[in-house]
């Protein structure tokens, strides 16, 4: 009997199919070149801070629905990714914490992405979980790709930031993938396909999320 592969293995195929799109993204290209654009980095940090403010409650909601438990302590410990943001703020040569917590509008992409995740969670907890999984998985997989392909070298100023996310077997990614694979066995093939479509849409938003900072600060 052929063993069924974990549902999350399909995420790798999605990322391989979208790798060229990520690599062509001006934000990623600047990062590969080691070029620091302070305005774009600050814009990214602000929007990511706002995004995470919606992301974690949605993930908490899905975890409660599917498992009856709260999110792992290791996730809650850095729920707004201050450590990762600090790396970028240091590159932008500022330690002003109010940059993240100040008054500024959400971008269109941020609002669209959050709305996509919220609607996915409302439609079905598994679909919502998979839509949410794209964020940590895509970052971890992309970080591995950039280092594996020799595009981010040890002397690149962005290496600490890339290293923060590297590895699909750690941080938020590990428990989330475990829950994805466990729950996938309990839902229909039709729901699995809807969930994968939600993951693909989230992956497209991830690429747009990187791009928006470069476009907004031209």
């Amino acid at each position: 009997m052929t063993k069924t592969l974990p549902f999350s293995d399909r995420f790798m195929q999605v990322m391989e199919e979208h790798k060229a799109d990520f690599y062509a993204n001006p934000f990623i290209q600047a990062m590969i070149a080691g070029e620091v654009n302070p305005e774009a980095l600050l814009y990214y940090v602000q929007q990511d801070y706002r995004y995470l403010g919606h992301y974690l409650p949605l993930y908490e909601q899905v975890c409660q629905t599917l498992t009856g438990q709260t999110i792992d302590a290791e996730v809650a410990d850095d729920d707004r990714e201050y450590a990762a943001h600090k790396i970028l703020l240091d590159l932008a040569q500022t330690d002003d914490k109010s940059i993240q917590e100040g008054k500024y509008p959400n971008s269109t992409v941020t609002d669209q992405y959050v709305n996509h995740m919220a609607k996915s969670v409302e439609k079905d907890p598994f679909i919502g979980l998979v839509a949410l999984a794209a964020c940590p998985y895509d970052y971890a997989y992309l970080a591995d790709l950039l280092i594996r392909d020799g595009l981010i070298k040890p002397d690149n100023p962005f290496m600490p930031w890339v290293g923060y996310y590297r590895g699909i077997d750690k941080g938020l990614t590990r428990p989330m993938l475990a829950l994805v694979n466990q729950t996938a066995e309990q839902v229909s093939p039709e729901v699995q396909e809807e969930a994968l479509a939600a993951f693909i849409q989230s992956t497209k938003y991830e690429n747009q999320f990187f791009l928006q900072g470069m476009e907004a600060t031209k």
Side-chain angles (χ1 to χ4, degrees), residues 16 22 25 29 50 74 99 123 128 148 157 164 167 190 194 200 203:
E16 288 293 338
F22 279 103
N25 190 308
Q29 289 183 337
R50 285 288 177 81
E74 63 185 281
I99 287 173
K123 187 171 188 178
R148 183 196 72 188
Y164 175 93
E190 291 76 18
E194 285 192 66
I200 292 171
T203 295

Side-chain angles (χ1 to χ4, degrees), residues 135-180:
C135 177
Y137 185 91
D138 290 1
Y139 269 66
Y141 196 85
L142 182 61
D144 280 336
L145 280 177
L146 290 168
I147 294 174
R148 183 196 72 188
D149 291 350
L151 298 175
I152 299 292
K153 302 185 184 302
D155 61 346
N156 188 302
F158 289 94
M159 176 58 96
W161 188 68
V162 173
Y164 175 93
Y165 292 105
R166 187 180 188 187
I168 64 172
D169 59 346
K170 66 179 185 179
L172 172 61
T173 316
R174 178 180 54 78
M176 184 173 272
L177 292 186
L179 183 56
V180 164

Side-chain angles (χ1 to χ4, degrees), residues 56-77:
L56 270 300
L58 287 172
Y59 181 41
E60 181 82 49
Q61 178 183 338
V62 167
C63 282
Q64 288 278 6
T65 300
L66 293 175
T67 71
Q69 299 177 351
T70 59
I71 58 177
D72 289 1
E74 63 185 281
V75 175
D77 186 49

Side-chain angles (χ1 to χ4, degrees), residues 2-15:
T2 303
K3 184 178 180 181
T4 303
L5 295 175
F7 181 81
S8 64
D9 279 14
R10 303 175 74 178
F11 299 169
M12 178 173 63
Q13 180 181 351
V14 172
M15 281 301 290

